PDB file of all heavy atoms in Angstrom:
ATOM      1  N   MET A 226     -11.175 -12.968   7.242  1.00  0.00           N
ATOM      2  CA  MET A 226     -10.654 -13.177   8.591  1.00  0.00           C
ATOM      3  C   MET A 226      -9.301 -13.873   8.640  1.00  0.00           C
ATOM      4  O   MET A 226      -8.492 -13.582   9.505  1.00  0.00           O
ATOM      5  CB  MET A 226     -11.641 -14.002   9.439  1.00  0.00           C
ATOM      6  CG  MET A 226     -12.927 -13.302   9.730  1.00  0.00           C
ATOM      7  SD  MET A 226     -12.672 -11.770  10.623  1.00  0.00           S
ATOM      8  CE  MET A 226     -14.290 -11.059  10.460  1.00  0.00           C
ATOM      9  N   VAL A 245      -9.389   0.792   8.160  1.00  0.00           N
ATOM     10  CA  VAL A 245      -7.933   0.921   8.203  1.00  0.00           C
ATOM     11  C   VAL A 245      -7.533   2.328   8.650  1.00  0.00           C
ATOM     12  O   VAL A 245      -6.567   2.491   9.395  1.00  0.00           O
ATOM     13  CB  VAL A 245      -7.296   0.519   6.855  1.00  0.00           C
ATOM     14  CG1 VAL A 245      -5.807   0.846   6.826  1.00  0.00           C
ATOM     15  CG2 VAL A 245      -7.520  -0.980   6.604  1.00  0.00           C
ATOM     16  N   GLY A 283      -0.881  -3.396  -2.876  1.00  0.00           N
ATOM     17  CA  GLY A 283      -1.623  -4.439  -2.188  1.00  0.00           C
ATOM     18  C   GLY A 283      -2.858  -4.829  -2.990  1.00  0.00           C
ATOM     19  O   GLY A 283      -3.825  -5.351  -2.451  1.00  0.00           O
ATOM     20  N   ALA A 299       2.950   5.904 -11.456  1.00  0.00           N
ATOM     21  CA  ALA A 299       3.984   6.140 -10.443  1.00  0.00           C
ATOM     22  C   ALA A 299       5.333   6.372 -11.121  1.00  0.00           C
ATOM     23  O   ALA A 299       6.096   7.251 -10.709  1.00  0.00           O
ATOM     24  CB  ALA A 299       4.058   4.970  -9.473  1.00  0.00           C
ATOM     25  N   LYS A 302       5.670   9.813 -12.401  1.00  0.00           N
ATOM     26  CA  LYS A 302       5.842  10.788 -11.328  1.00  0.00           C
ATOM     27  C   LYS A 302       7.144  10.590 -10.551  1.00  0.00           C
ATOM     28  O   LYS A 302       7.398  11.273  -9.569  1.00  0.00           O
ATOM     29  CB  LYS A 302       4.643  10.736 -10.383  1.00  0.00           C
ATOM     30  CG  LYS A 302       3.349  11.162 -11.055  1.00  0.00           C
ATOM     31  CD  LYS A 302       2.187  11.112 -10.098  1.00  0.00           C
ATOM     32  CE  LYS A 302       0.920  11.619 -10.739  1.00  0.00           C
ATOM     33  NZ  LYS A 302       0.926  13.060 -11.002  1.00  0.00           N
ATOM     34  N   SER A 316       6.800 -15.087   0.008  1.00  0.00           N
ATOM     35  CA  SER A 316       6.529 -13.803  -0.625  1.00  0.00           C
ATOM     36  C   SER A 316       7.608 -13.513  -1.647  1.00  0.00           C
ATOM     37  O   SER A 316       8.755 -13.920  -1.508  1.00  0.00           O
ATOM     38  CB  SER A 316       6.509 -12.701   0.434  1.00  0.00           C
ATOM     39  OG  SER A 316       6.228 -11.463  -0.167  1.00  0.00           O
ATOM     40  N   PHE A 321      10.171  -1.535  -7.897  1.00  0.00           N
ATOM     41  CA  PHE A 321      10.288  -0.893  -9.199  1.00  0.00           C
ATOM     42  C   PHE A 321      10.799   0.527  -9.026  1.00  0.00           C
ATOM     43  O   PHE A 321      10.113   1.388  -8.475  1.00  0.00           O
ATOM     44  CB  PHE A 321       8.942  -0.907  -9.931  1.00  0.00           C
ATOM     45  CG  PHE A 321       8.615  -2.263 -10.493  1.00  0.00           C
ATOM     46  CD1 PHE A 321       8.028  -3.229  -9.698  1.00  0.00           C
ATOM     47  CD2 PHE A 321       8.935  -2.587 -11.796  1.00  0.00           C
ATOM     48  CE1 PHE A 321       7.735  -4.491 -10.190  1.00  0.00           C
ATOM     49  CE2 PHE A 321       8.657  -3.848 -12.302  1.00  0.00           C
ATOM     50  CZ  PHE A 321       8.057  -4.799 -11.502  1.00  0.00           C
ATOM     51  N   PRO A 323      11.717   4.062 -10.519  1.00  0.00           N
ATOM     52  CA  PRO A 323      11.174   4.803 -11.665  1.00  0.00           C
ATOM     53  C   PRO A 323      12.190   5.021 -12.789  1.00  0.00           C
ATOM     54  O   PRO A 323      11.807   5.315 -13.919  1.00  0.00           O
ATOM     55  CB  PRO A 323      10.725   6.135 -11.048  1.00  0.00           C
ATOM     56  CG  PRO A 323      11.485   6.253  -9.778  1.00  0.00           C
ATOM     57  CD  PRO A 323      11.732   4.865  -9.296  1.00  0.00           C
ATOM     58  N   GLU A 330       7.953  -3.807 -19.024  1.00  0.00           N
ATOM     59  CA  GLU A 330       9.172  -4.504 -19.468  1.00  0.00           C
ATOM     60  C   GLU A 330       9.422  -5.758 -18.641  1.00  0.00           C
ATOM     61  O   GLU A 330       9.706  -6.817 -19.198  1.00  0.00           O
ATOM     62  CB  GLU A 330      10.387  -3.576 -19.351  1.00  0.00           C
ATOM     63  CG  GLU A 330      10.408  -2.452 -20.357  1.00  0.00           C
ATOM     64  CD  GLU A 330      11.491  -1.427 -20.051  1.00  0.00           C
ATOM     65  OE1 GLU A 330      11.737  -1.119 -18.856  1.00  0.00           O
ATOM     66  OE2 GLU A 330      12.094  -0.933 -21.012  1.00  0.00           O
ATOM     67  N   THR A 352       6.519 -15.086  -9.297  1.00  0.00           N
ATOM     68  CA  THR A 352       6.875 -16.396  -8.747  1.00  0.00           C
ATOM     69  C   THR A 352       8.335 -16.677  -9.036  1.00  0.00           C
ATOM     70  O   THR A 352       8.720 -16.800 -10.193  1.00  0.00           O
ATOM     71  CB  THR A 352       6.006 -17.510  -9.390  1.00  0.00           C
ATOM     72  OG1 THR A 352       4.638 -17.127  -9.240  1.00  0.00           O
ATOM     73  CG2 THR A 352       6.248 -18.829  -8.734  1.00  0.00           C
TER      74      THR A 352
END
Side-chain angles (χ1 to χ4, degrees):
M226 294 300 168
V245 172
K302 295 180 176 291
S316 181
F321 284 84
E330 289 170 322
T352 307

